[in-house]
Amino acid sequence: MIELAVTLPQSLTRFLQATVEGLSLAAIYALLALGFVIIYKSTQVLNFAQPALLIFGAYMASYLSITWGWGFWIGVLVAIALTAGLGAGLERVAMRPMVGKPVFAAAILTLGLDIGIRVFVNDLIGVNVRAIGDPPEGGFGAPGLPWPQLPWNWGGVIIQPRSVVMVITTGVLVMALLYFFRRSRFGLAMRATAIDQEVALAQGINVGGVFSMAWILGGAMAAVAGVFGATAFAGLSASNAIAALKALPAVVVGGLDSINGAVVGALIIGLAEAYTATYQAQYAPWLGSNFSQVVPYVVMLLVLLVRPYGLFGTEEVERV
Amino acid sequence: MRGRPGLFTRYEDASAILPSGTQKVWLGIGLAVLVIAPFIVDRATLILLATAVVAAVGAIGLNLVTGYAGQVSLGHAFFLGVGAYSAAAIGGQPEEGKELIALGLDLWISLPLAGLIAALCGIVVAPVALRLRGLYLALVTLGLVFLGEHIFRNWTQLTGGQGVGREPATLSLFGYRFDLDGSVLGIDLIREQQIYFLALVVMVVMALLAKNLVRSRVGRAFAAVRDRDIAAEVMGVNLTKYKVLAFAVSSFYAGVAGALLYTVTGFLDPNAFNLFLSIAYIAMVVIGGAASIAGSIAGAFFITLLPEVIENVIHALPIDAETLFTSISTAQIERILFGVLIIVFLIFEPLGLYGIWIRIRNYWKAFPFSY
C-alpha cells in the first residue's frame, strides 16, 4: 500500500471512503445513463435492453482477453466494438420497424430483446464468477506511466486504482461526447434529429444513420460500464446486469432528455447508494439488509414527486 | 341479425357483451372446454391450467390499466405480491413455533380483502402516476417492483423471508376446504381440480365485471384518457378520477390473482414477485391483445402453457434433444421465446391473438373471395 502520512478522524475517513465508493458507482451509472439518454433523445425509445448490452460487453471482454488470451486492452476494445455493433444490429433489425409506433410498444419490445439476449449470455457465463483480467503490470503498458496495482491509503481512506480509472475515463468520455454533440457535423445532425425527426429528414439528414449512431454509442458505453463493473475483485456474473437497471433512476432523476442531467443524476444516485450502504445498518437497521440496492428507486420516487420531469428534463408541452 | 353480423340497429345491440351469435357459440364452446379439461389432462398439466386461469385474472387487470386506460405499468408483480401476502396473512392458518402473521380467516374475507389491500396500494401509487405521463410512469412502476422485492425479502414476519417462504392462503370457503380432495354433487374431485374450479369461477366473474366496466361510461373514459389525455380532459373527463380508478381496479384484479396464484403449488417465494413476472404479464397483454378481455385470457393461457408446449415439442423432435440443448434448459428456451414472441407480436401483429382472430374472421366472412 502506498501510504500518506496524514491521520484523519475516524468519522471523516468513513465519510470519505463512502464518497470514493459512491463516485466510482456514479461513474458506471453515468455511462449507462448517458447511453439511455442518447438513445432516448435520438430515437424516442426507452432502451430496456441496456442490461443485455452491458452483460454482453463484459462477457466478450472476459472471453476475448482471458479465454482467447488476447490481453486486456485488445480484448476490451474489441468487446466494446462488438457491443456497439450488436446495438446497431438490434436497432436495424428490431427497432427500425417500430418507427412511428407508440413509444410504449418500442419500450416493451426492448424488454423482449433484453430477456432474449440475457438468457444467452447468462448461459455462456455459467454459474461461476468469471474474471475479466487486469491491465498488464506497469499500468497502461506504456513506459513512463507508472500505475500502482495496490490501493492508495490516504490517511485511512483506501482508494482503489480501479475507482480512479473509472472516474477519469467516464469524465473523458463525457467530455468527448459533449464535444461530439456540440462541435461535430454528425453531432449537429443528432441534435437536429432529437428536436424533430421529420424536419431533420427534410433537411437531408440521414436519420437512419443517426438512429444507428445512437445505438452504437449506447452499446459502446454499456460495454465500458460492463467492463468497469467486472474489473478487479468484482468479477463478472449474471447479476452484474442489474447495474444497468439501477442507472434508470439516474436517468429519471436527471430528466430523460438531458445529457447533463444524466451525469448529475448518476452522481446523486451513486452517492446516495454508497452513503446508504455505509450508514444505514447503523442508523436505520429497520430498513432491512441490502437496502442500499433499492435506494436508487427511492430517490427516484422522491425526486419525481417534486419534479415530475426530473431535475433537468424539459417539460412536455403538448397540443391537443 | 342473422347473416349480417356487422349490422346493428340498436345501440344496446352494438354494446352488448356478446354482440353476435357466433360469439355466444364460441363462448359456450370455450367454457365447455374449460369445464371438461380438468377431467382429461394429467395432474401436472392441471396445475398449469389452474395457474393459467388465475393468471388470466391478473392479465385482465393489467389490460384494464395498460390496454384500456393507456397507463403502462411494469409494477404488476408488486400488486400480485401484495395480494398474495395479504391473503396469506389474513387467510393462512397460524402454525405453532412460527412467527408468521396468519389470522386464519375464511376465503370470503381474505380474497376480497387481498384485492382491496392491493387496490389501496394502487391508490397510493396513483398520485405519482397522475403527475407523470408516458415513459416516466413506466420507470416509476419499475422501481415499485424492486422496492416490493426488497420489502418481501425483509419483512420476515409476513413473508417468511428469503429462502424460507411461507404457505399461501388456506382455501377454505364457509368451512369447505378447496385445498383438499373432496366431492361436490357426488363427483369426486382431487385437490387440484377443486382449486381449478374455484379459480375458474373467480375468473368468469371477474372477466364479466371487467367486460361490463369497459363498455360503460368508465370504460369510455379510460379509452379517452388512453387515446389523448389532454383532449379527454377538455371534453370533461376527470383525469385524476379515472387514472386513480384505473390503477385501483387493476390492482384489485392483481390482488385477487395474487391471492390464488400460488395456492396450487402451495408455496410463496418472496423472490417470485420480480421484474420477470411483470414482463410475463406484459407479454400476456401484448400477445393476447391490448384492450381486449378475451385476448387477456387467451394471452394468459398462451404464456402459462408455453413451457409445457415447449417441453412436448422438444420431446417430439426427431433429433436427440439432449445433444442439441446440452446447455440450454427448457426454462431458458421459455424465456428466449418470451422475448422473441413479444418482439414478433409487437412488430407484426400489434393487436395480438385478438388481431389474428379478426384476420381469420374477416377472411372467412367473404370466403371464397378475398374481399
Side-chain angles (χ1 to χ4, degrees):
Chain A
M1 278 203 191
I2 301 157
E3 292 198 34
L4 246 77
V6 193
T7 35
L8 294 168
Q10 182 87 48
S11 57
L12 185 61
T13 316
R14 204 167 158 214
F15 178 76
L16 287 175
Q17 186 71 58
T19 310
V20 168
E21 268 142 38
L23 285 176
S24 48
L25 276 176
I28 295 179
Y29 293 157
L31 288 175
L32 291 161
L34 276 172
F36 278 115
V37 170
I38 290 170
I39 291 177
Y40 180 71
K41 279 192 84 148
S42 322
T43 68
Q44 262 79 56
V45 170
L46 192 64
N47 178 21
F48 283 114
Q50 205 85 345
L53 292 171
L54 176 147
I55 204 84
F56 177 81
Y59 175 75
M60 287 319 286
S62 154
Y63 188 73
L64 294 175
S65 59
I66 304 237
T67 313
W68 277 15
W70 282 9
F72 182 80
W73 291 111
I74 299 175
V76 166
L77 288 177
V78 174
I80 292 170
L82 282 174
T83 315
L86 176 71
L90 290 181
E91 191 277 323
R92 193 66 195 82
V93 174
M95 303 313 296
R96 200 66 68 81
M98 298 302 286
V99 171
K101 298 266 178 71
V103 284
F104 303 121
I108 291 169
L109 197 146
T110 59
L111 277 176
L113 289 175
D114 183 55
I115 292 182
I117 297 169
R118 259 163 77 184
V119 171
F120 270 116
V121 179
N122 289 351
D123 191 57
L124 291 170
I125 293 173
V127 282
N128 295 323
V129 176
R130 285 180 72 98
I132 203 160
D134 288 313
E137 198 77 32
F140 290 105
L145 248 178
W147 196 255
Q149 289 288 327
L150 291 169
W152 288 290
N153 185 338
W154 197 73
V157 184
I158 314 280
I159 303 176
Q160 301 286 346
R162 171 176 177 257
S163 310
V164 179
V165 173
M166 270 156 46
V167 172
I168 291 175
T169 317
T170 303
V172 170
L173 280 176
V174 171
M175 288 301 159
L177 271 176
L178 287 179
Y179 184 83
F180 171 73
F181 286 131
R182 300 238 168 101
R183 292 277 178 269
S184 78
R185 204 176 152 77
F186 206 86
L188 184 65
M190 290 188 80
R191 279 191 291 148
T193 312
I195 295 169
D196 193 319
Q197 286 176 7
E198 277 181 38
V199 174
L201 201 60
Q203 301 294 318
I205 289 170
N206 177 4
V207 174
V210 168
F211 286 6
S212 297
M213 188 50 140
W215 277 77
I216 286 173
L217 290 175
M221 277 185 296
V224 176
V227 170
F228 281 170
T231 45
F233 47 84
L236 171 64
S237 65
S239 60
N240 281 28
I242 292 172
L245 289 176
K246 281 196 281 178
L248 276 171
V251 182
V252 176
V253 166
L256 268 181
D257 55 355
S258 163
I259 296 208
N260 302 338
V263 178
V264 176
L267 273 173
I268 294 173
I269 296 291
L271 288 173
E273 188 179 333
Y275 289 141
T276 316
T278 309
Y279 292 109
Q280 179 246 329
Q282 186 182 347
Y283 294 104
W286 49 272
L287 285 169
S289 59
N290 279 332
F291 184 69
S292 62
Q293 296 295 310
V294 291
V295 152
Y297 303 105
V298 177
V299 174
M300 172 176 84
L301 282 173
L302 293 179
V303 169
L304 282 181
L305 275 177
V306 186
R307 288 187 63 96
Y309 292 96
L311 295 176
F312 297 90
T314 31
E315 208 160 312
E316 278 177 51
V317 181
E318 270 192 71
R319 273 187 301 188
V320 181
Chain B
M1 278 288 173
R2 200 170 164 77
R4 302 190 60 183
L7 178 70
F8 298 109
T9 50
R10 293 189 310 159
Y11 283 117
E12 292 83 55
D13 291 344
S15 63
I17 294 180
L18 299 166
S20 76
T22 326
Q23 277 171 325
K24 285 176 191 134
V25 172
W26 277 112
L27 181 76
I29 294 173
L31 274 179
V33 168
L34 284 179
V35 170
I36 297 167
F39 297 106
I40 300 167
V41 298
D42 58 44
R43 202 167 150 267
T45 317
L46 183 57
I47 290 176
L48 275 180
L49 274 180
T51 314
V53 172
V54 179
V57 177
I60 292 171
L62 185 60
N63 216 337
L64 284 176
V65 75
T66 301
Y68 284 96
Q71 311 296 308
V72 168
S73 168
L74 293 175
H76 216 56
F78 170 72
F79 297 114
L80 286 166
V82 170
Y85 283 116
S86 308
I90 297 163
Q93 296 297 334
E95 281 179 65
E96 286 291 315
K98 282 193 185 175
E99 289 183 3
L100 288 171
I101 305 172
L103 304 177
L105 292 175
D106 206 66
L107 195 62
W108 70 270
I109 303 173
S110 70
L111 194 62
L113 259 186
L116 284 177
I117 291 172
L120 218 80
C121 289
I123 292 171
V124 171
V125 174
V128 188
L130 290 176
R131 292 170 60 86
L132 301 173
R133 304 239 317 273
L135 295 169
Y136 280 99
L137 179 61
L139 291 172
V140 166
T141 50
L142 178 89
L144 208 59
V145 175
F146 287 102
L147 284 178
E149 262 192 290
H150 179 77
I151 294 169
F152 295 148
R153 276 193 211 123
N154 284 285
W155 193 354
T156 43
Q157 272 184 321
L158 180 69
T159 67
Q162 212 170 350
V164 184
R166 71 173 291 169
E167 284 182 9
T170 315
L171 297 175
S172 127
L173 185 62
F174 303 116
Y176 183 79
R177 293 289 291 262
F178 282 91
D179 53 349
L180 303 170
D181 295 352
S183 76
V184 181
L185 303 173
I187 307 166
D188 286 333
L189 296 171
I190 58 167
R191 172 179 174 275
E192 283 76 16
Q193 284 169 331
Q194 296 231 57
I195 297 176
Y196 174 88
F197 281 115
L198 173 73
L200 189 63
V201 170
V202 171
M203 185 200 83
V204 169
V205 170
M206 298 294 266
L208 203 65
L209 288 176
K211 189 75 193 173
N212 274 330
L213 184 76
V214 297
R215 65 196 191 102
S216 67
R217 182 188 174 84
V218 178
R220 287 192 296 276
F222 281 178
V225 171
R226 171 195 61 200
D227 292 340
R228 206 88 170 105
D229 52 353
I230 300 172
E233 199 170 18
V234 170
M235 288 191 302
V237 174
N238 186 342
L239 276 191
T240 314
K241 183 179 154 192
Y242 285 105
K243 280 189 182 178
V244 172
L245 193 64
F247 264 96
V249 174
S250 156
S251 313
F252 181 84
Y253 273 73
V256 171
L260 295 176
L261 197 56
Y262 291 97
T263 47
V264 191
T265 48
F267 178 68
L268 270 180
D269 178 8
N271 289 325
F273 303 99
N274 53 21
L275 183 60
F276 185 73
L277 190 69
S278 279
I279 297 176
Y281 276 85
I282 294 257
M284 288 174 198
V285 170
V286 166
I287 290 171
S292 156
I293 302 291
S296 317
I297 298 170
F301 273 85
F302 188 91
I303 290 290
T304 317
L305 298 180
L306 195 62
E308 178 83 358
V309 174
I310 296 167
E311 192 99 24
N312 286 331
V313 168
I314 289 175
H315 284 300
L317 285 178
I319 39 162
D320 186 9
E322 292 298 312
T323 51
L324 188 63
F325 301 105
T326 41
S327 59
I328 292 188
S329 66
T330 323
Q332 286 171 320
I333 298 176
E334 181 197 331
R335 286 193 173 212
I336 293 172
L337 264 182
F338 261 23
V340 172
L341 282 171
I342 293 177
I343 296 165
V344 167
F345 268 94
L346 279 172
I347 293 180
F348 296 108
E349 189 55 272
L351 287 176
L353 294 174
Y354 178 64
I356 293 178
W357 158 245
I358 288 179
R359 267 198 227 178
I360 296 172
R361 195 185 68 190
N362 288 348
Y363 176 80
W364 286 105
K365 224 184 214 172
F367 185 81
F369 308 106
S370 55
Y371 57 87

